[in-house]
């Protein structure tokens, strides 16, 4: 089945879907994005991702391209036209196309909007989650506004590639104090040596993951002890469990960090339970 992309008001065959060479996303990474997971053709954690998209646009003073309702229809229609039942839908909004010049383009320059969707069977993630994945650490060299979901992802790309070259699934980025910030495209969690579930607090220069927030709500309703407090690489290596969260990976157990086995080297009970709870809830509430 051929894929279809939405580009600035039109649905186009994926291979012919293009933006201008002077799109500011291409020239300056002057744009933001959002990703929803799709279950049964419906979008999960819908409001959380939509609200974060609007916040990212507001923070960068990029015009909101269309009403929330219209945008919702475009996202759902792109999923439908690509016949995605389980997978991901991606939106990118940039400050539009204008002659290359650093300041914002003239007022009224329309933002560019592209939407794509692709299949990613949950069963594939489940197979990885059943075994657990490897994580490596990497210096966090990003800017000071990682709370905005911008397409400026070069440090994240370099970290993920470093992980791949070491046979790992994800890179956990580490700040100058030796504390883990987050994964290259995920939020990082541990169950520490004392049994406390921990993830870095969302005020401190990380992306406020929508999956992270949903899992934290589940953690509270399960009555688990947890702290939103950063952990060091050493603490992570001595942890009982490690895992990461994202819209594409849900809750993914990590069984080694820099080659050091975590716990007994198998996915832990907390991560396994949270994955199941999260998947059930996301499926049920998708729209
Ligand atoms: N941190 C970073 C740097 C990310 O890119 C992502 C996913 N885009 C996440 C965390 C996870 O966020 P979410 O749960 O909203 O997918």
């Amino acid at each position: 089945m051929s894929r279809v992309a939405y580009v600035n008001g039109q649905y186009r065959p994926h291979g012919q879907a293009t933006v201008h060479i002077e799109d500011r996303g291409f020239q300056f990474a002057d744009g933001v994005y959002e990703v929803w997971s799709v279950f049964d053709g419906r979008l999960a954690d819908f409001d959380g991702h939509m609200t974060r998209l609007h916040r990212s646009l507001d923070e960068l003073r990029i015009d909101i391209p269309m009403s929330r309702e219209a945008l919702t229809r475009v996202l759902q229609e792109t999923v439908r036209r690509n016949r995605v039942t389980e997978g991901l839908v991606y939106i990118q909004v940039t400050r539009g196309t204008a002659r290359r010049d650093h300041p914002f383009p003239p007022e009224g320059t329309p933002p560019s909007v592209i939407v794509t969707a692709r299949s990613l069977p949950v069963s594939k993630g489940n197979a990885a989650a059943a075994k657990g994945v490897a994580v490596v650490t990497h210096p966090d060299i990003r800017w000071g506004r990682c709370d905005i979901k911008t397409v400026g992802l070069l440090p994240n790309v370099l970290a993920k590639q470093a992980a791949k070259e070491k046979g790992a699934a994800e890179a956990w980025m580490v700040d100058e104090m030796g504390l883990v910030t987050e994964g290259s495209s995920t939020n990082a969690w541990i169950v520490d040596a004392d049994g406390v579930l921990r993830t870095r607090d969302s005020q401190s220069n990380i992306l406020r993951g929508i999956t992270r927030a949903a899992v934290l709500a589940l953690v509270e309703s399960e009555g688990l002890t947890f702290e939103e407090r950063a952990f060091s690489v050493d603490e992570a290596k001595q942890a009982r469990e490690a895992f990461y969260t994202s819209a594409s990976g849900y809750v993914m157990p990590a069984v080694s960090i820099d080659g050091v086995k975590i716990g007994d080297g198998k996915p832990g009970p907390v991560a396994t339970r949270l994955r199941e709870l999260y998947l059930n809830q996301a499926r049920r509430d998708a729209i």
Side-chain angles (χ1 to χ4, degrees):
M1 216 248 352
S2 52
R3 293 179 67 196
V4 175
Y6 172 90
V7 186
N8 295 327
Q10 288 185 314
Y11 292 94
R12 317 252 314 157
H14 196 266
Q16 292 159 33
T18 53
V19 293
H20 194 273
I21 56 164
E22 287 195 313
D23 188 280
R24 291 182 63 97
F26 180 55
Q27 296 280 356
F28 297 113
D30 188 0
V32 304
Y33 74 107
E34 201 51 65
V35 179
W36 285 259
S37 54
V38 175
F39 298 101
D40 307 318
R42 296 174 297 127
L43 281 66
D45 288 328
F46 187 80
D47 287 338
H49 288 282
M50 185 62 103
T51 301
R52 187 173 64 186
L53 175 66
H54 281 80
R55 177 179 180 277
S56 296
L57 291 167
D58 274 350
E59 289 290 323
L60 298 179
R61 293 194 281 147
I62 297 176
D63 291 341
I64 309 289
M66 59 183 105
S67 73
R68 224 177 143 105
E69 293 68 34
L71 203 50
T72 304
R73 277 198 297 278
V74 169
L75 292 164
Q76 291 173 332
E77 181 63 10
T78 306
V79 168
R80 194 188 69 77
R81 289 190 186 221
N82 286 281
R83 298 203 178 93
V84 172
T85 51
E86 285 180 351
L88 299 171
V89 59
Y90 173 90
I91 183 168
Q92 179 169 323
V93 182
T94 75
R95 208 181 299 277
T97 294
R99 192 180 67 179
R100 188 182 183 283
D101 197 7
H102 286 63
F104 293 175
E107 204 142 314
T109 302
S112 303
V113 184
I114 65 132
V115 180
T116 55
R118 71 178 175 92
S119 293
L120 180 67
V122 178
S123 57
K124 216 174 150 188
N126 285 344
K131 282 208 271 178
V133 297
V135 162
V136 293
T137 58
H138 197 80
D140 192 337
I141 57 166
R142 298 175 302 160
W143 71 326
R145 290 304 308 271
C146 297
D147 59 308
I148 306 174
K149 200 165 166 63
T150 83
V151 295
L153 288 173
L154 190 50
N156 309 57
V157 165
L158 296 176
K160 188 80 96 188
Q161 181 62 20
K164 190 177 171 189
E165 287 171 8
K166 290 177 180 158
E170 178 60 306
W172 279 8
M173 297 182 285
V174 180
D175 68 14
E176 285 164 0
M177 321 255 287
L179 300 170
V180 173
T181 54
E182 60 186 320
S184 68
S185 62
T186 59
N187 288 113
W189 304 64
I190 59 168
V191 178
D192 72 15
D194 299 322
V196 179
L197 180 59
R198 282 164 66 184
T199 190
R200 193 178 173 102
D201 92 84
S202 64
Q203 299 308 313
S204 57
N205 205 31
I206 60 165
L207 187 76
R208 293 168 202 170
I210 303 305
T211 318
R212 175 188 179 283
V215 168
L216 272 179
L218 290 168
V219 162
E220 280 191 57
S221 66
E222 286 286 290
L224 294 172
T225 9
F226 76 94
E227 279 180 44
E228 287 186 76
R229 181 160 64 88
F231 50 83
S232 66
V233 174
D234 286 343
E235 284 178 302
K237 288 180 180 169
Q238 285 157 29
R240 294 184 191 176
E241 291 188 41
F243 62 94
Y244 55 77
T245 55
S246 70
S248 55
Y250 324 124
V251 176
M252 184 57 70
V255 292
S256 72
I257 300 174
D258 294 337
V260 175
K261 193 159 86 171
I262 305 305
D264 62 3
K266 297 201 185 90
V270 174
T272 304
R273 171 98 181 117
L274 289 174
R275 181 179 176 89
E276 184 188 319
L277 289 172
Y278 176 75
L279 276 168
N280 287 343
Q281 174 178 282
R283 243 193 213 109
R284 190 191 63 216
D285 296 344
I287 65 155

